[in-house]
Amino acid sequence: MKRIFFAFFLLLCSAHVLMAENYPYRSDYLWVTVPDHADWLYQTGEKATVEVQFYKYGIPRDGVVEWEVGTDLLPADQRGSVTLKNGRAKINMGTAKKPCFRDLRLKLTLDGKTYQHHVKVGFSADKIQPFTQEPNDFWSFWQQQKAEAAKFPLHYTKEYVKELSNEKVDAYRLKIDLDRSRHAFYAYLLMPHGAKKGSCPVVLTPPGAGVKTIRDATARRFYPENGFIRLAIEIHGLDPTLSEEVFAEIRAAFDNQGNAYLRQGLEDRNQYYMKHVYLGLVRCIDVLTQLPEWDGKNVIIQGGSQGGALALIGAALDDRITLCSANHPALSDMAAGSAGLTSGYPHFKPESGAYSEACLKTLPYFDVVNFARHVKIPVYMTWGYNDNTCPPTTSYAVWNVLTCPKESLLTPINEHWTSDATDRGQMEWMQKHLK
């Protein structure tokens, strides 16, 4: 496994924010947390010590830091306080008896304002295993669903989008019909301008979670500028040309409890909302592989968070896919919360009913860890340790069950974001692995 660790100052300067930043932009203050293992990883039984530093206006400040330690995303089981001297102090986090991540949560009140930070370290992280088990008929269920979906004829509309095109990139807006239930995806297809027949690898990019327009349409133009055809999709059948006001209304009506679609129909594996989404990935590959400009060899899937989950799921479901790149995958070990363990996004609450007997029977059929067991192609995966949206525990649960060729980029300080360098590095990894 290849590991690359970025210095936190470099990340602070170059971070491209997707959902959260470690340090507020243009902030007057800065936390620095330095575990006594440079890679933030320990073996079970080893004690972890973290040096804590606090600066305001770049000047070390003294004060009392209240701290607590708990297992990743779970309630604290240790508490204490420490006094900063010249802006520094050390905190003994203790150890762990079982493979896991432990989270040191910090709070300092200074000049009438409270500042918070946290840092996670891993214990025998390479031995973390998922709570979720694979049903005996998992693979046969999905093969049957794929066969049924394939009976629906391929149909989509394609419209040139002048305002997203330029001298290097031709942009098209697609509506892809998925099945007889009238499910559809909208998408933006970005192609190298003047691409020749049989010349381009194709990349499918599923979206992060939420009900929103396709925000990734032009953010990664470097793909078509470097010879890739890229299809950026949404999963709810909502026209991306709708105004943000309309999307806000749809979210209020459809998703007002926070990604409620991920709970919709969970009592029945045949009615769960995400079933048509997973199968829709295969239909998107149908679209890409019938393009005359496709090189006939390279089919890649790439995404982050929910998109990272869908990338791994697509890689398992469709054997035409040749490479997979995934950032901090969501939808991983989702049922672990029913046992009081660290669960992956969407972090179902007991009051949601998602841990009922019926729902717990459905969840394993849609969990990334079970798809990961079936991935055979090369995977490039990246994740951070300070992520509270897709925690490192569940990223390792996925990583540790992958038996395919795999490479990782570990960026411990990252919360739920990746840097521009990381995003471009994924494309460069793809270039190195093209057939």
Side-chain angles (χ1 to χ4, degrees), residues 362-412:
T362 299
L363 276 173
Y365 291 93
F366 294 87
D367 200 290
V368 174
V369 297
N370 286 334
F371 287 93
R373 302 178 203 274
H374 294 270
V375 174
K376 295 180 173 59
I377 60 171
V379 170
Y380 182 58
M381 188 167 147
T382 182
W383 65 98
Y385 295 171
N386 279 354
D387 195 337
N388 278 341
T389 303
C390 296
T393 300
T394 58
S395 286
Y396 268 101
V398 172
W399 175 259
N400 290 341
V401 302
L402 287 170
T403 58
C404 58
K406 57 183 181 179
E407 298 178 48
S408 68
L409 171 62
L410 303 182
T411 57

Side-chain angles (χ1 to χ4, degrees), residues 174-192:
L174 277 61
K175 183 181 180 184
I176 305 168
D177 296 327
L178 302 183
D179 54 41
R180 291 180 177 83
S181 298
R182 299 181 64 84
H183 291 124
F185 287 168
Y186 280 89
Y188 283 110
L189 180 69
L190 303 177
M191 303 182 64

